[in-house]
Amino acid sequence: MFNNDPNIPRMVGNFPLLPLRTKTRGPAYVLPQSSQPLPANESPDPDSESYDILDEVLSLFRANTFFRNFEIQGPADRLLIYGILFVSECLGKIRPHHSLRDATKEVLNTALDLNFAIPGDPAFPLNQIYEPPRDRQDAEQLRQYLSQVRQELAARLLARVYDEEGDGKPSKWWLSFTKRKFMGKAL
């Protein structure tokens, strides 16, 4: 959906800095909140102006985890790949016996850790499909954007894995994807 957007996003290397519906501070342009308040575990309608790439990451995650190969059709696909790999990492931190509080602590620590690899770093697992940032300023902007993406994605994932009316246990349906590796890679 985001590859067909006529507005070309800002790019760092070949990584797009797409707008996000977020309250987390960072360099991303902030999309308006949905006109009708939605529960935290739901996404707005894809045709809504407040639907963002992170909603797409979460809605396509389960289907895409089965892919060994992924054809990149546009810049938004690179952010989709990164998001899916990060969701996989977060799900790996959640244990079946974790309460919401324990899982929040684990997942948010992962999201808030600023010591993560970005495209161009030797430790980044997908350097073959990502161009490195041009300079140190671009690298810092990309790190801030990815940090913002990680924090927002972690919060939305927790809202989906732990149902508000549930028994306080994580969804077995989501946790069944913890052992799968998208494209055989991990962040």
Side-chain angles (χ1 to χ4, degrees), residues 82 86 89-90 93 104-118 142-151 154 187:
Y82 185 86
F86 181 70
E89 182 179 349
C90 289
K93 304 279 183 191
T104 300
K105 183 178 164 189
E106 288 287 331
V107 171
L108 288 183
N109 280 343
T110 302
L112 291 170
D113 182 16
L114 294 177
N115 212 7
F116 59 89
I118 62 171
L142 181 59
R143 186 173 300 282
Q144 289 173 354
Y145 179 77
L146 288 177
S147 179
Q148 187 178 14
V149 164
R150 290 162 68 100
Q151 290 172 47
L187 288 180

PDB file of all heavy atoms in Angstrom, residues 82 86 89-90 93 104-118 142-151 154 187:
ATOM      1  N   TYR A  82      12.170  -4.551   8.114  1.00  0.00           N
ATOM      2  CA  TYR A  82      12.759  -4.221   9.417  1.00  0.00           C
ATOM      3  C   TYR A  82      11.723  -4.396  10.533  1.00  0.00           C
ATOM      4  O   TYR A  82      12.020  -4.961  11.581  1.00  0.00           O
ATOM      5  CB  TYR A  82      13.309  -2.794   9.429  1.00  0.00           C
ATOM      6  CG  TYR A  82      14.029  -2.482  10.711  1.00  0.00           C
ATOM      7  CD1 TYR A  82      15.374  -2.813  10.861  1.00  0.00           C
ATOM      8  CD2 TYR A  82      13.365  -1.911  11.785  1.00  0.00           C
ATOM      9  CE1 TYR A  82      16.039  -2.566  12.056  1.00  0.00           C
ATOM     10  CE2 TYR A  82      14.018  -1.665  12.980  1.00  0.00           C
ATOM     11  CZ  TYR A  82      15.347  -1.991  13.109  1.00  0.00           C
ATOM     12  OH  TYR A  82      15.994  -1.762  14.301  1.00  0.00           O
ATOM     13  N   PHE A  86      11.842  -6.918  13.755  1.00  0.00           N
ATOM     14  CA  PHE A  86      11.783  -6.409  15.122  1.00  0.00           C
ATOM     15  C   PHE A  86      10.634  -7.055  15.901  1.00  0.00           C
ATOM     16  O   PHE A  86      10.791  -7.399  17.073  1.00  0.00           O
ATOM     17  CB  PHE A  86      11.657  -4.883  15.144  1.00  0.00           C
ATOM     18  CG  PHE A  86      11.613  -4.344  16.540  1.00  0.00           C
ATOM     19  CD1 PHE A  86      12.748  -4.381  17.341  1.00  0.00           C
ATOM     20  CD2 PHE A  86      10.441  -3.840  17.077  1.00  0.00           C
ATOM     21  CE1 PHE A  86      12.713  -3.917  18.643  1.00  0.00           C
ATOM     22  CE2 PHE A  86      10.397  -3.372  18.372  1.00  0.00           C
ATOM     23  CZ  PHE A  86      11.534  -3.410  19.163  1.00  0.00           C
ATOM     24  N   GLU A  89      11.764 -10.358  17.035  1.00  0.00           N
ATOM     25  CA  GLU A  89      12.664 -10.234  18.186  1.00  0.00           C
ATOM     26  C   GLU A  89      11.865  -9.998  19.467  1.00  0.00           C
ATOM     27  O   GLU A  89      12.151 -10.608  20.507  1.00  0.00           O
ATOM     28  CB  GLU A  89      13.642  -9.091  17.954  1.00  0.00           C
ATOM     29  CG  GLU A  89      14.654  -8.918  19.063  1.00  0.00           C
ATOM     30  CD  GLU A  89      15.633  -7.782  18.808  1.00  0.00           C
ATOM     31  OE1 GLU A  89      15.677  -7.245  17.687  1.00  0.00           O
ATOM     32  OE2 GLU A  89      16.351  -7.430  19.750  1.00  0.00           O
ATOM     33  N   CYS A  90      10.865  -9.140  19.404  1.00  0.00           N
ATOM     34  CA  CYS A  90      10.041  -8.848  20.584  1.00  0.00           C
ATOM     35  C   CYS A  90       9.256 -10.075  21.034  1.00  0.00           C
ATOM     36  O   CYS A  90       9.174 -10.356  22.235  1.00  0.00           O
ATOM     37  CB  CYS A  90       9.075  -7.709  20.303  1.00  0.00           C
ATOM     38  SG  CYS A  90       9.866  -6.111  20.166  1.00  0.00           S
ATOM     39  N   LYS A  93      11.102 -12.408  23.175  1.00  0.00           N
ATOM     40  CA  LYS A  93      11.322 -11.986  24.570  1.00  0.00           C
ATOM     41  C   LYS A  93      10.145 -12.332  25.474  1.00  0.00           C
ATOM     42  O   LYS A  93      10.281 -12.375  26.684  1.00  0.00           O
ATOM     43  CB  LYS A  93      11.549 -10.470  24.642  1.00  0.00           C
ATOM     44  CG  LYS A  93      12.677  -9.961  23.795  1.00  0.00           C
ATOM     45  CD  LYS A  93      13.975 -10.167  24.474  1.00  0.00           C
ATOM     46  CE  LYS A  93      15.087  -9.563  23.626  1.00  0.00           C
ATOM     47  NZ  LYS A  93      16.384  -9.939  24.078  1.00  0.00           N
ATOM     48  N   THR A 104       6.031  -6.318  29.225  1.00  0.00           N
ATOM     49  CA  THR A 104       6.255  -4.906  28.921  1.00  0.00           C
ATOM     50  C   THR A 104       7.678  -4.515  29.264  1.00  0.00           C
ATOM     51  O   THR A 104       8.347  -3.824  28.488  1.00  0.00           O
ATOM     52  CB  THR A 104       5.242  -4.023  29.696  1.00  0.00           C
ATOM     53  OG1 THR A 104       3.929  -4.395  29.304  1.00  0.00           O
ATOM     54  CG2 THR A 104       5.463  -2.556  29.411  1.00  0.00           C
ATOM     55  N   LYS A 105       8.149  -4.965  30.393  1.00  0.00           N
ATOM     56  CA  LYS A 105       9.523  -4.665  30.816  1.00  0.00           C
ATOM     57  C   LYS A 105      10.534  -5.214  29.804  1.00  0.00           C
ATOM     58  O   LYS A 105      11.431  -4.498  29.362  1.00  0.00           O
ATOM     59  CB  LYS A 105       9.761  -5.269  32.203  1.00  0.00           C
ATOM     60  CG  LYS A 105      11.112  -4.982  32.781  1.00  0.00           C
ATOM     61  CD  LYS A 105      11.210  -5.589  34.166  1.00  0.00           C
ATOM     62  CE  LYS A 105      12.638  -5.660  34.607  1.00  0.00           C
ATOM     63  NZ  LYS A 105      12.802  -6.416  35.840  1.00  0.00           N
ATOM     64  N   GLU A 106      10.371  -6.469  29.411  1.00  0.00           N
ATOM     65  CA  GLU A 106      11.291  -7.100  28.465  1.00  0.00           C
ATOM     66  C   GLU A 106      11.261  -6.422  27.091  1.00  0.00           C
ATOM     67  O   GLU A 106      12.297  -6.086  26.520  1.00  0.00           O
ATOM     68  CB  GLU A 106      10.940  -8.583  28.292  1.00  0.00           C
ATOM     69  CG  GLU A 106      11.282  -9.445  29.467  1.00  0.00           C
ATOM     70  CD  GLU A 106      12.768  -9.683  29.625  1.00  0.00           C
ATOM     71  OE1 GLU A 106      13.495  -9.684  28.614  1.00  0.00           O
ATOM     72  OE2 GLU A 106      13.198  -9.856  30.772  1.00  0.00           O
ATOM     73  N   VAL A 107      10.060  -6.228  26.578  1.00  0.00           N
ATOM     74  CA  VAL A 107       9.908  -5.706  25.218  1.00  0.00           C
ATOM     75  C   VAL A 107      10.324  -4.235  25.149  1.00  0.00           C
ATOM     76  O   VAL A 107      11.013  -3.821  24.221  1.00  0.00           O
ATOM     77  CB  VAL A 107       8.467  -5.925  24.714  1.00  0.00           C
ATOM     78  CG1 VAL A 107       8.223  -5.198  23.416  1.00  0.00           C
ATOM     79  CG2 VAL A 107       8.200  -7.411  24.540  1.00  0.00           C
ATOM     80  N   LEU A 108       9.935  -3.440  26.125  1.00  0.00           N
ATOM     81  CA  LEU A 108      10.309  -2.027  26.094  1.00  0.00           C
ATOM     82  C   LEU A 108      11.810  -1.834  26.323  1.00  0.00           C
ATOM     83  O   LEU A 108      12.398  -0.899  25.779  1.00  0.00           O
ATOM     84  CB  LEU A 108       9.485  -1.216  27.093  1.00  0.00           C
ATOM     85  CG  LEU A 108       8.025  -1.019  26.673  1.00  0.00           C
ATOM     86  CD1 LEU A 108       7.289  -0.137  27.677  1.00  0.00           C
ATOM     87  CD2 LEU A 108       7.895  -0.435  25.285  1.00  0.00           C
ATOM     88  N   ASN A 109      12.435  -2.702  27.116  1.00  0.00           N
ATOM     89  CA  ASN A 109      13.898  -2.634  27.246  1.00  0.00           C
ATOM     90  C   ASN A 109      14.565  -2.898  25.902  1.00  0.00           C
ATOM     91  O   ASN A 109      15.550  -2.254  25.554  1.00  0.00           O
ATOM     92  CB  ASN A 109      14.407  -3.628  28.296  1.00  0.00           C
ATOM     93  CG  ASN A 109      14.236  -3.119  29.704  1.00  0.00           C
ATOM     94  OD1 ASN A 109      14.039  -1.933  29.938  1.00  0.00           O
ATOM     95  ND2 ASN A 109      14.284  -4.030  30.662  1.00  0.00           N
ATOM     96  N   THR A 110      14.023  -3.830  25.153  1.00  0.00           N
ATOM     97  CA  THR A 110      14.548  -4.106  23.808  1.00  0.00           C
ATOM     98  C   THR A 110      14.332  -2.900  22.901  1.00  0.00           C
ATOM     99  O   THR A 110      15.227  -2.499  22.157  1.00  0.00           O
ATOM    100  CB  THR A 110      13.846  -5.343  23.202  1.00  0.00           C
ATOM    101  OG1 THR A 110      14.042  -6.450  24.068  1.00  0.00           O
ATOM    102  CG2 THR A 110      14.377  -5.657  21.827  1.00  0.00           C
ATOM    103  N   ALA A 111      13.140  -2.304  22.965  1.00  0.00           N
ATOM    104  CA  ALA A 111      12.822  -1.165  22.103  1.00  0.00           C
ATOM    105  C   ALA A 111      13.644   0.067  22.469  1.00  0.00           C
ATOM    106  O   ALA A 111      14.041   0.834  21.594  1.00  0.00           O
ATOM    107  CB  ALA A 111      11.336  -0.837  22.191  1.00  0.00           C
ATOM    108  N   LEU A 112      13.890   0.277  23.755  1.00  0.00           N
ATOM    109  CA  LEU A 112      14.597   1.477  24.207  1.00  0.00           C
ATOM    110  C   LEU A 112      16.114   1.366  24.120  1.00  0.00           C
ATOM    111  O   LEU A 112      16.816   2.364  24.246  1.00  0.00           O
ATOM    112  CB  LEU A 112      14.194   1.811  25.646  1.00  0.00           C
ATOM    113  CG  LEU A 112      12.751   2.291  25.814  1.00  0.00           C
ATOM    114  CD1 LEU A 112      12.385   2.361  27.285  1.00  0.00           C
ATOM    115  CD2 LEU A 112      12.539   3.628  25.144  1.00  0.00           C
ATOM    116  N   ASP A 113      16.615   0.163  23.919  1.00  0.00           N
ATOM    117  CA  ASP A 113      18.062  -0.036  23.804  1.00  0.00           C
ATOM    118  C   ASP A 113      18.565   0.684  22.559  1.00  0.00           C
ATOM    119  O   ASP A 113      18.147   0.383  21.442  1.00  0.00           O
ATOM    120  CB  ASP A 113      18.370  -1.530  23.719  1.00  0.00           C
ATOM    121  CG  ASP A 113      19.856  -1.810  23.639  1.00  0.00           C
ATOM    122  OD1 ASP A 113      20.657  -0.910  23.939  1.00  0.00           O
ATOM    123  OD2 ASP A 113      20.214  -2.944  23.271  1.00  0.00           O
ATOM    124  N   LEU A 114      19.431   1.649  22.750  1.00  0.00           N
ATOM    125  CA  LEU A 114      19.939   2.428  21.614  1.00  0.00           C
ATOM    126  C   LEU A 114      21.179   1.795  20.983  1.00  0.00           C
ATOM    127  O   LEU A 114      21.768   2.350  20.068  1.00  0.00           O
ATOM    128  CB  LEU A 114      20.261   3.857  22.063  1.00  0.00           C
ATOM    129  CG  LEU A 114      19.055   4.679  22.500  1.00  0.00           C
ATOM    130  CD1 LEU A 114      19.489   6.042  22.995  1.00  0.00           C
ATOM    131  CD2 LEU A 114      18.051   4.812  21.378  1.00  0.00           C
ATOM    132  N   ASN A 115      21.544   0.644  21.460  1.00  0.00           N
ATOM    133  CA  ASN A 115      22.725  -0.037  20.981  1.00  0.00           C
ATOM    134  C   ASN A 115      22.346  -1.090  19.936  1.00  0.00           C
ATOM    135  O   ASN A 115      22.690  -2.254  20.055  1.00  0.00           O
ATOM    136  CB  ASN A 115      23.433  -0.694  22.172  1.00  0.00           C
ATOM    137  CG  ASN A 115      24.925  -0.740  21.978  1.00  0.00           C
ATOM    138  OD1 ASN A 115      25.447  -0.189  21.031  1.00  0.00           O
ATOM    139  ND2 ASN A 115      25.589  -1.415  22.886  1.00  0.00           N
ATOM    140  N   PHE A 116      21.607  -0.680  18.908  1.00  0.00           N
ATOM    141  CA  PHE A 116      21.195  -1.613  17.865  1.00  0.00           C
ATOM    142  C   PHE A 116      21.877  -1.232  16.551  1.00  0.00           C
ATOM    143  O   PHE A 116      22.255  -0.089  16.345  1.00  0.00           O
ATOM    144  CB  PHE A 116      19.667  -1.651  17.708  1.00  0.00           C
ATOM    145  CG  PHE A 116      19.036  -0.332  17.356  1.00  0.00           C
ATOM    146  CD1 PHE A 116      18.879   0.055  16.034  1.00  0.00           C
ATOM    147  CD2 PHE A 116      18.580   0.521  18.347  1.00  0.00           C
ATOM    148  CE1 PHE A 116      18.293   1.266  15.710  1.00  0.00           C
ATOM    149  CE2 PHE A 116      17.988   1.731  18.030  1.00  0.00           C
ATOM    150  CZ  PHE A 116      17.848   2.106  16.709  1.00  0.00           C
ATOM    151  N   ALA A 117      22.034  -2.229  15.700  1.00  0.00           N
ATOM    152  CA  ALA A 117      22.711  -2.011  14.421  1.00  0.00           C
ATOM    153  C   ALA A 117      21.750  -1.378  13.418  1.00  0.00           C
ATOM    154  O   ALA A 117      20.569  -1.689  13.384  1.00  0.00           O
ATOM    155  CB  ALA A 117      23.220  -3.339  13.874  1.00  0.00           C
ATOM    156  N   ILE A 118      22.284  -0.465  12.615  1.00  0.00           N
ATOM    157  CA  ILE A 118      21.515   0.165  11.539  1.00  0.00           C
ATOM    158  C   ILE A 118      22.176  -0.220  10.213  1.00  0.00           C
ATOM    159  O   ILE A 118      23.309  -0.714  10.199  1.00  0.00           O
ATOM    160  CB  ILE A 118      21.451   1.701  11.703  1.00  0.00           C
ATOM    161  CG1 ILE A 118      22.844   2.342  11.638  1.00  0.00           C
ATOM    162  CG2 ILE A 118      20.735   2.078  12.993  1.00  0.00           C
ATOM    163  CD1 ILE A 118      22.824   3.855  11.574  1.00  0.00           C
ATOM    164  N   LEU A 142      18.628   8.281  11.095  1.00  0.00           N
ATOM    165  CA  LEU A 142      18.082   6.940  10.899  1.00  0.00           C
ATOM    166  C   LEU A 142      17.976   6.205  12.229  1.00  0.00           C
ATOM    167  O   LEU A 142      16.980   5.545  12.504  1.00  0.00           O
ATOM    168  CB  LEU A 142      18.938   6.152   9.909  1.00  0.00           C
ATOM    169  CG  LEU A 142      18.463   4.732   9.596  1.00  0.00           C
ATOM    170  CD1 LEU A 142      17.047   4.744   9.013  1.00  0.00           C
ATOM    171  CD2 LEU A 142      19.425   4.056   8.634  1.00  0.00           C
ATOM    172  N   ARG A 143      18.983   6.325  13.077  1.00  0.00           N
ATOM    173  CA  ARG A 143      18.949   5.672  14.392  1.00  0.00           C
ATOM    174  C   ARG A 143      17.779   6.209  15.224  1.00  0.00           C
ATOM    175  O   ARG A 143      17.064   5.451  15.868  1.00  0.00           O
ATOM    176  CB  ARG A 143      20.269   5.865  15.131  1.00  0.00           C
ATOM    177  CG  ARG A 143      20.339   5.089  16.433  1.00  0.00           C
ATOM    178  CD  ARG A 143      21.705   5.159  17.074  1.00  0.00           C
ATOM    179  NE  ARG A 143      22.765   4.622  16.245  1.00  0.00           N
ATOM    180  CZ  ARG A 143      23.024   3.334  16.077  1.00  0.00           C
ATOM    181  NH1 ARG A 143      22.293   2.441  16.688  1.00  0.00           N
ATOM    182  NH2 ARG A 143      24.017   2.947  15.305  1.00  0.00           N
ATOM    183  N   GLN A 144      17.558   7.524  15.202  1.00  0.00           N
ATOM    184  CA  GLN A 144      16.441   8.113  15.951  1.00  0.00           C
ATOM    185  C   GLN A 144      15.100   7.646  15.392  1.00  0.00           C
ATOM    186  O   GLN A 144      14.176   7.336  16.148  1.00  0.00           O
ATOM    187  CB  GLN A 144      16.521   9.637  15.909  1.00  0.00           C
ATOM    188  CG  GLN A 144      17.639  10.218  16.727  1.00  0.00           C
ATOM    189  CD  GLN A 144      17.775  11.724  16.520  1.00  0.00           C
ATOM    190  OE1 GLN A 144      17.104  12.321  15.693  1.00  0.00           O
ATOM    191  NE2 GLN A 144      18.681  12.330  17.280  1.00  0.00           N
ATOM    192  N   TYR A 145      14.991   7.593  14.068  1.00  0.00           N
ATOM    193  CA  TYR A 145      13.750   7.142  13.445  1.00  0.00           C
ATOM    194  C   TYR A 145      13.483   5.679  13.790  1.00  0.00           C
ATOM    195  O   TYR A 145      12.368   5.314  14.169  1.00  0.00           O
ATOM    196  CB  TYR A 145      13.816   7.333  11.929  1.00  0.00           C
ATOM    197  CG  TYR A 145      12.565   6.870  11.221  1.00  0.00           C
ATOM    198  CD1 TYR A 145      11.409   7.648  11.229  1.00  0.00           C
ATOM    199  CD2 TYR A 145      12.528   5.658  10.539  1.00  0.00           C
ATOM    200  CE1 TYR A 145      10.259   7.232  10.585  1.00  0.00           C
ATOM    201  CE2 TYR A 145      11.379   5.234   9.897  1.00  0.00           C
ATOM    202  CZ  TYR A 145      10.251   6.023   9.925  1.00  0.00           C
ATOM    203  OH  TYR A 145       9.104   5.588   9.292  1.00  0.00           O
ATOM    204  N   LEU A 146      14.494   4.833  13.672  1.00  0.00           N
ATOM    205  CA  LEU A 146      14.306   3.417  13.996  1.00  0.00           C
ATOM    206  C   LEU A 146      13.996   3.222  15.472  1.00  0.00           C
ATOM    207  O   LEU A 146      13.219   2.331  15.834  1.00  0.00           O
ATOM    208  CB  LEU A 146      15.536   2.605  13.582  1.00  0.00           C
ATOM    209  CG  LEU A 146      15.711   2.420  12.076  1.00  0.00           C
ATOM    210  CD1 LEU A 146      16.986   1.664  11.770  1.00  0.00           C
ATOM    211  CD2 LEU A 146      14.511   1.722  11.466  1.00  0.00           C
ATOM    212  N   SER A 147      14.564   4.039  16.325  1.00  0.00           N
ATOM    213  CA  SER A 147      14.245   3.973  17.749  1.00  0.00           C
ATOM    214  C   SER A 147      12.772   4.318  17.965  1.00  0.00           C
ATOM    215  O   SER A 147      12.074   3.666  18.754  1.00  0.00           O
ATOM    216  CB  SER A 147      15.147   4.920  18.530  1.00  0.00           C
ATOM    217  OG  SER A 147      14.827   4.887  19.891  1.00  0.00           O
ATOM    218  N   GLN A 148      12.289   5.330  17.265  1.00  0.00           N
ATOM    219  CA  GLN A 148      10.882   5.716  17.363  1.00  0.00           C
ATOM    220  C   GLN A 148       9.986   4.588  16.834  1.00  0.00           C
ATOM    221  O   GLN A 148       8.968   4.259  17.453  1.00  0.00           O
ATOM    222  CB  GLN A 148      10.660   7.001  16.561  1.00  0.00           C
ATOM    223  CG  GLN A 148       9.298   7.616  16.711  1.00  0.00           C
ATOM    224  CD  GLN A 148       9.165   8.913  15.916  1.00  0.00           C
ATOM    225  OE1 GLN A 148       9.994   9.217  15.055  1.00  0.00           O
ATOM    226  NE2 GLN A 148       8.128   9.673  16.201  1.00  0.00           N
ATOM    227  N   VAL A 149      10.366   3.979  15.724  1.00  0.00           N
ATOM    228  CA  VAL A 149       9.617   2.857  15.155  1.00  0.00           C
ATOM    229  C   VAL A 149       9.595   1.696  16.145  1.00  0.00           C
ATOM    230  O   VAL A 149       8.536   1.095  16.386  1.00  0.00           O
ATOM    231  CB  VAL A 149      10.236   2.414  13.809  1.00  0.00           C
ATOM    232  CG1 VAL A 149       9.739   1.037  13.389  1.00  0.00           C
ATOM    233  CG2 VAL A 149       9.948   3.436  12.729  1.00  0.00           C
ATOM    234  N   ARG A 150      10.729   1.375  16.740  1.00  0.00           N
ATOM    235  CA  ARG A 150      10.824   0.258  17.679  1.00  0.00           C
ATOM    236  C   ARG A 150       9.922   0.477  18.894  1.00  0.00           C
ATOM    237  O   ARG A 150       9.224  -0.445  19.331  1.00  0.00           O
ATOM    238  CB  ARG A 150      12.274   0.061  18.119  1.00  0.00           C
ATOM    239  CG  ARG A 150      13.171  -0.479  17.020  1.00  0.00           C
ATOM    240  CD  ARG A 150      14.645  -0.267  17.312  1.00  0.00           C
ATOM    241  NE  ARG A 150      15.129  -1.041  18.418  1.00  0.00           N
ATOM    242  CZ  ARG A 150      15.811  -2.175  18.312  1.00  0.00           C
ATOM    243  NH1 ARG A 150      16.105  -2.650  17.117  1.00  0.00           N
ATOM    244  NH2 ARG A 150      16.224  -2.816  19.382  1.00  0.00           N
ATOM    245  N   GLN A 151       9.926   1.683  19.440  1.00  0.00           N
ATOM    246  CA  GLN A 151       9.111   1.958  20.615  1.00  0.00           C
ATOM    247  C   GLN A 151       7.616   1.870  20.299  1.00  0.00           C
ATOM    248  O   GLN A 151       6.851   1.276  21.066  1.00  0.00           O
ATOM    249  CB  GLN A 151       9.451   3.339  21.178  1.00  0.00           C
ATOM    250  CG  GLN A 151      10.825   3.406  21.806  1.00  0.00           C
ATOM    251  CD  GLN A 151      11.202   4.818  22.184  1.00  0.00           C
ATOM    252  OE1 GLN A 151      10.425   5.529  22.787  1.00  0.00           O
ATOM    253  NE2 GLN A 151      12.410   5.230  21.826  1.00  0.00           N
ATOM    254  N   ALA A 154       6.627  -1.787  19.562  1.00  0.00           N
ATOM    255  CA  ALA A 154       6.587  -2.574  20.801  1.00  0.00           C
ATOM    256  C   ALA A 154       5.285  -2.327  21.560  1.00  0.00           C
ATOM    257  O   ALA A 154       4.637  -3.276  22.029  1.00  0.00           O
ATOM    258  CB  ALA A 154       7.789  -2.232  21.680  1.00  0.00           C
ATOM    259  N   LEU A 187      17.318  -9.762  13.892  1.00  0.00           N
ATOM    260  CA  LEU A 187      18.045  -8.514  14.168  1.00  0.00           C
ATOM    261  C   LEU A 187      19.103  -8.726  15.233  1.00  0.00           C
ATOM    262  O   LEU A 187      19.028  -9.523  16.074  1.00  0.00           O
ATOM    263  CB  LEU A 187      17.079  -7.412  14.619  1.00  0.00           C
ATOM    264  CG  LEU A 187      16.178  -6.852  13.544  1.00  0.00           C
ATOM    265  CD1 LEU A 187      15.281  -5.766  14.124  1.00  0.00           C
ATOM    266  CD2 LEU A 187      17.000  -6.235  12.420  1.00  0.00           C
TER     267      LEU A 187
END
